[in-house]
Amino acid sequence: MAAFKEWVQSEGLETSGKIDQFRKSCIAFDAEDYLDTLLTATLSREPLLPALGGLPFALQKHIDDDLQRFRDAEIKPIFVFNGLQAASKDGTMVAREGKRAAKILDEAWGIYDQGRGEDAVNAFGKACTYKIQHISRWLSAHLHKAGVTALTAPYSAAPQLVYMQQQGFCDGIAGSAACLVFGSERVITSIAWDSGVVSWVESAACQGRLMFSAEGFADLMLLSGCVPTLLPAYAEAEGELPHIQALRGILTQMRGDGYALLLQRQQQHKDEEYLDAFRKARFAIKHSVYTKIDGTVETRDAARAPGDVHLFTGQRLPDEIYYYLLRGVAGARILNWSAHRHITETPPLDGGNSHSYQDLVQNRLVDLRVKALAVLAVNLNRYFQHGVFHAAYWFNDAKSQLSVREGIEPVKGLMSKWHVPEAVLPDALASHPLAEALGLLADEKSAKSTVTERPNGAPGILEKPVELLGNAVLRALHDAGYMYADHTLSASGKAIQAAFKEARSNGYIEMGVTETEAEEAILVAFELLKLKVLNNQHMFPTPPYSGPPLRGNDADKDNTLLVSRVACLGFFSHREIGYTGPLSRHLLAYQQMATAVRESLRDLLEMHACAMLMSGSVSRKTIGDKELRDLGTSLPFTREPDLGLALVVKSYLDELSNEPAKRQDITRWFNYVTDMEGDLQKAWKLWACVNAGVQAAETNIIGESVKKVFRNADKWLQEKIAAAAAPNGLV
């Protein structure tokens, strides 16, 4: 996207006008292009984002500042996000992009390990837009909370924006090349608030400068990677990404025909997969898909579309599902997997070189993923219920198969028993949905009162927003194994309930950066325990995984590692500025494992919310567009934690295990942390909650050996904390 904007600027193709000309107007933004600009622009980018995960620390400030500027300029913004992937962006193409980004990050870590800090920052900055789907989810929710319209297109945002402009829903659209490729006459490329200037480029100007037809211009943009929702950039050799100008010269020889160019190059650099993807991308442009004002999903020029549209868009889902996608109830991941019957696993931010992460995504998370797919399939036809899903992984050529067929009837029976009315739900459920939902079931009598079937199959019995949130969360927790069929807590449910009880007792439940931080962290911890990956084992080899605990004896290092891994699940306080401080690829690798689990839990919640709506359980009279948007925003796991808290904890405990004369003040290493002491106290309380749940768990779910590891680590931690509080405990 940035490449196109740089090209039009270098060619002098932009037209500019004053912001005052847009007063009282409505501008619809390609949300992912807007986010891409923030993540890569010199004044707003935070190059260490791929080394930390989570959100850029200044991102919310930049967005809020922009929203205030829109209000001051009397401009109404609308943000449209990308939805499902087109078939041209299949697993092979996604895997190529993932491997390329992983190579960049691996090189960046190598530079960092050599002690070349500034060079490492620049190297990390080359991958600032890799694996940012969670940031898009947060941005969509944040915009909604700010009163700004945020929508998700059925596929690419660009054709949706073009449709909105053509139908008069907005006065202009802001984005990049994709908007022109999908038929817009012009697109706003930048808004310079300081100078009060808006710049845009017209499709005719681009085609005239290139001396290409509209089709030739589209081919050039596809091959140069300027329409990333459809196709990655064409590279004749690994790592060689042609510039727009260079490709233009090559394409001119083919009279602007990208397909002819690829056919010719097949003789020298055989790449039938890219050729096939290019063909599909062309058709995806010609017969693009968008949502109309009445909620129906339309294919452009449908009368002339071929009968096998699904080959370049993916299998068509019901319009109702696209509507829930539009309103933010569902994310695109599970819908993508269902539409394409394919799961493509890409490398995590740490590179994914460890067997532990590979085993997690290939084997241990399969159960949660199949459950989410089964929940969606309950209300779909036999194609989705009986089909086989193929899973591919970046680390080997082996492909596995998943089936949801056997999970359909059990989850259907589970969902039929959850129609809990507002009168039964806890008052605080809207603020702490996970903790309050399980708390409701702690009492056996209350638990059994939640067994609520629809009387005679009557539709629309859930009428209040809190009922939607409560029942979606309760269904997902039940599906995840935290309660029995009679709705009483299972052994896992009782263990996590003990952790929630400790969180209320020690105040951790109210300490989060977000309202749901504490309960999310605790739930993820117990999911990691169930998957047998929350431990003090050395799962990531050094090298290449630099930054493990270094101080003290083996017991000190093991305990520091375990406590730091728990701290990966929380947020820390940081000024609204880019991070500077120590990094740890070792801890990042674990944080990425936790992120994979969080994503699977979020998928399960979203699919249960969708299934509840599709089953007819929800009243259409009282639940409208706003309530649906509120539901998607209020579901847990909207925001992903960064690595900051774990880095603080690891550094602090490492120094406590150092020789007293050599201990250093770690506050000097974290220049922009705003409340170091508060962060440490929060980390200790999170640890106390997890340990309380572990010790309360029955031995059939958490064995005595694991309990002993946690008990020993807790005793060690209390001794370290007491030593730090002593005079001259930590210089």
Side-chain angles (χ1 to χ4, degrees):
M1 289 183 272
F4 171 74
K5 294 180 182 181
E6 291 171 1
W7 176 73
V8 297
Q9 289 171 4
S10 67
E11 293 288 322
L13 296 175
E14 287 184 318
T15 304
S16 299
K18 291 294 184 181
I19 287 180
D20 289 343
Q21 296 175 242
F22 292 82
R23 195 170 297 277
K24 304 287 186 182
S25 68
C26 174
I27 300 177
F29 286 79
D30 181 329
E32 319 256 346
D33 175 75
Y34 172 77
L35 181 58
D36 185 272
T37 300
L38 285 176
L39 295 179
T40 57
T42 303
L43 295 179
S44 56
R45 76 186 190 113
E46 297 182 27
L48 290 180
L49 175 63
L52 296 167
L55 298 185
F57 293 111
L59 180 63
Q60 183 172 331
K61 180 181 184 301
H62 291 308
I63 292 167
D64 290 344
D65 287 349
D66 279 351
L67 296 182
Q68 185 57 52
R69 292 176 184 126
F70 284 125
R71 287 189 285 268
D72 294 342
E74 299 182 63
I75 295 173
K76 177 185 177 182
I78 296 174
F79 290 84
V80 180
F81 291 80
N82 293 325
L84 277 66
Q85 291 175 344
S88 59
K89 197 73 177 287
D90 63 6
T92 303
M93 297 298 110
V94 171
R96 288 186 184 188
E97 290 183 307
K99 289 179 180 179
R100 187 176 294 124
K103 183 179 179 181
I104 292 171
L105 291 170
D106 192 57
E107 292 172 353
W109 280 109
I111 295 171
Y112 177 79
D113 292 341
Q114 294 170 19
R116 296 157 52 197
E118 188 172 339
D119 291 339
V121 169
N122 293 331
F124 280 118
K126 296 177 182 177
C128 274
T129 57
Y130 180 56
K131 293 188 88 73
I132 59 168
Q133 293 84 354
H134 65 96
I135 302 181
S136 295
R137 180 176 62 233
W138 170 84
L139 175 58
S140 179
H142 182 70
L143 290 170
H144 176 66
K145 290 177 181 178
V148 177
T149 301
L151 307 171
T152 303
Y155 291 89
S156 172
Q160 188 68 46
L161 290 165
V162 173
Y163 168 79
M164 292 169 65
Q165 185 179 35
Q166 291 172 345
Q167 297 298 315
F169 291 106
C170 59
D171 301 296
I173 58 178
S176 192
C179 296
L180 302 180
V181 167
F182 279 99
S184 177
E185 294 181 359
R186 64 187 59 84
V187 62
I188 295 171
T189 51
S190 67
I191 301 177
W193 295 106
D194 293 342
S195 58
V197 172
V198 178
S199 299
W200 63 89
V201 64
E202 297 187 355
S203 180
C206 294
Q207 294 172 36
R209 178 59 55 88
L210 294 165
M211 292 187 289
F212 283 172
S213 64
E215 292 77 10
F217 172 68
D219 284 359
L220 175 61
M221 293 299 100
L222 286 172
L223 293 171
S224 58
C226 293
V227 192
T229 56
L230 293 183
L231 200 67
Y234 175 60
E236 293 184 349
E238 186 65 30
E240 295 180 9
L241 298 179
H243 187 269
I244 291 175
Q245 200 63 30
L247 262 176
R248 172 197 178 186
I250 301 171
L251 205 55
T252 300
Q253 300 172 20
M254 297 292 150
R255 299 183 180 181
D257 189 335
Y259 186 63
L261 170 64
L262 292 176
L263 282 176
Q264 184 198 62
R265 296 303 170 101
Q266 285 291 302
Q267 300 174 11
Q268 302 165 348
H269 303 282
K270 197 170 184 63
D271 192 349
E272 293 181 359
E273 293 170 337
Y274 192 91
L275 180 65
D276 183 55
F278 181 82
R279 281 196 297 257
K280 292 177 180 178
R282 268 187 166 184
F283 274 102
I285 293 169
K286 186 176 182 180
H287 301 290
S288 57
V289 181
Y290 51 86
T291 300
K292 296 175 64 177
I293 187 173
D294 61 0
T296 58
V297 177
E298 184 84 359
T299 300
R300 178 183 173 189
D301 199 13
R304 293 183 176 87
D308 54 0
V309 171
H310 65 281
L311 293 181
F312 56 84
T313 61
Q315 193 66 35
R316 178 70 175 260
L317 295 166
D319 284 4
E320 185 177 1
I321 290 180
Y322 291 112
Y323 185 72
Y324 300 142
L325 175 69
L326 178 79
R327 294 298 173 188
V329 177
R333 191 163 84 145
I334 296 297
L335 305 188
N336 260 325
W337 293 354
S338 295
H340 299 291
R341 279 191 183 173
H342 198 278
I343 300 170
T344 301
E345 199 66 51
T346 55
L349 292 178
D350 63 275
N353 298 319
S354 71
H355 172 74
S356 298
Y357 186 90
Q358 295 170 6
D359 179 57
L360 177 73
V361 295
Q362 188 171 16
N363 300 309
R364 298 178 189 247
L365 280 178
V366 168
D367 184 54
L368 268 179
R369 292 176 171 182
V370 168
K371 284 179 177 179
L373 289 165
V375 172
L376 177 64
V378 163
N379 295 294
L380 301 182
N381 60 37
R382 292 171 63 88
Y383 173 87
F384 297 98
Q385 292 181 352
H386 294 182
V388 174
F389 293 80
H390 298 273
Y393 308 91
W394 79 93
F395 49 85
N396 61 36
D397 296 328
K399 293 186 178 181
S400 56
Q401 294 185 346
L402 310 177
S403 173
V404 303
R405 184 173 183 175
E406 294 179 357
I408 299 292
E409 288 304 318
V411 78
K412 187 185 294 186
L414 177 155
M415 293 188 296
S416 68
K417 304 293 180 64
W418 287 107
H419 298 86
V420 186
E422 181 183 28
V424 177
L425 295 171
D427 294 337
L429 185 135
S431 299
H432 300 293
L434 297 171
E436 292 298 323
L438 281 180
L440 172 64
L441 309 179
D443 176 72
E444 188 172 328
K445 183 178 179 181
S446 297
K448 292 184 176 180
S449 71
T450 64
V451 180
T452 45
E453 298 187 64
R454 286 159 56 180
N456 300 318
I461 65 172
L462 299 178
E463 300 177 334
K464 305 290 180 64
V466 71
E467 293 175 345
L468 270 62
L469 175 61
N471 282 280
V473 170
L474 285 163
R475 292 177 182 205
L477 290 173
H478 189 171
D479 206 3
Y482 290 101
M483 56 197 77
Y484 295 122
D486 63 356
H487 293 192
T488 57
L489 292 179
S490 65
S492 296
K494 290 175 181 177
I496 199 171
Q497 178 61 17
F500 285 144
K501 183 178 179 181
E502 176 65 21
R504 295 186 185 94
S505 175
N506 68 17
Y508 175 59
I509 198 78
E510 303 296 341
M511 291 181 72
V513 170
T514 66
E515 277 190 325
T516 55
E517 175 190 339
E519 54 197 306
E520 289 175 11
I522 291 171
L523 180 59
V524 173
F526 278 85
E527 283 295 315
L528 291 166
L529 283 163
K530 281 165 53 176
L531 296 169
K532 301 187 186 305
V533 292
L534 181 52
N535 51 49
N536 62 3
Q537 297 172 16
H538 295 264
M539 297 187 285
F540 313 106
T542 306
Y545 286 95
S546 56
L550 297 173
R551 314 295 188 198
N553 57 35
D554 288 345
D556 291 327
K557 295 174 185 177
D558 289 349
N559 290 327
T560 297
L561 187 60
L562 178 57
V563 177
S564 299
R565 284 176 175 171
V566 172
C568 283
L569 309 177
F571 297 87
F572 88 139
S573 57
H574 194 276
R575 284 175 54 191
E576 294 172 330
I577 191 172
Y579 174 85
T580 61
L583 301 175
S584 171
R585 190 177 187 179
H586 200 278
L587 287 179
L588 178 65
Y590 191 80
Q591 188 253 15
Q592 290 295 284
M593 292 181 72
T595 294
V597 174
R598 287 177 62 88
E599 292 292 334
S600 294
L601 289 170
R602 174 73 186 200
D603 290 340
L604 191 63
L605 281 162
E606 290 176 352
M607 292 306 103
H608 272 289
C610 280
M612 179 175 59
L613 291 161
M614 295 181 71
S615 67
S617 296
V618 177
S619 169
R620 300 299 174 172
K621 295 180 180 179
T622 59
I623 302 299
D625 293 348
K626 181 183 180 301
E627 288 75 20
L628 291 178
R629 197 68 186 85
D630 288 342
L631 173 61
T633 301
S634 61
L635 288 175
F637 305 111
T638 296
R639 178 176 172 180
E640 178 188 305
D642 51 72
L643 193 59
L645 186 62
L647 291 170
V648 168
V649 168
K650 179 255 182 184
S651 300
Y652 184 80
L653 294 178
D654 244 359
E655 288 308 301
L656 283 179
S657 296
N658 203 354
E659 297 176 25
K662 296 181 179 180
R663 291 176 184 168
Q664 300 183 50
D665 180 5
I666 69 166
T667 59
R668 299 174 185 173
W669 306 345
F670 299 89
N671 297 330
Y672 302 117
V673 174
T674 58
D675 186 8
M676 178 77 74
E677 180 59 29
D679 285 338
L680 289 171
Q681 291 303 316
K682 183 168 73 170
W684 309 152
K685 290 183 178 183
L686 168 57
W687 166 263
C689 296
V690 175
N691 184 53
V694 168
Q695 302 307 326
E698 298 176 12
T699 54
N700 63 320
I701 60 166
I702 297 180
E704 182 56 36
S705 61
V706 175
K707 292 187 176 190
K708 184 177 179 181
V709 168
F710 274 79
R711 277 198 304 271
N712 291 341
D714 185 62
K715 180 182 178 183
W716 173 89
L717 178 62
Q718 303 313 317
E719 291 172 352
K720 292 294 183 184
I721 294 173
N728 300 320
L730 184 58
V731 178

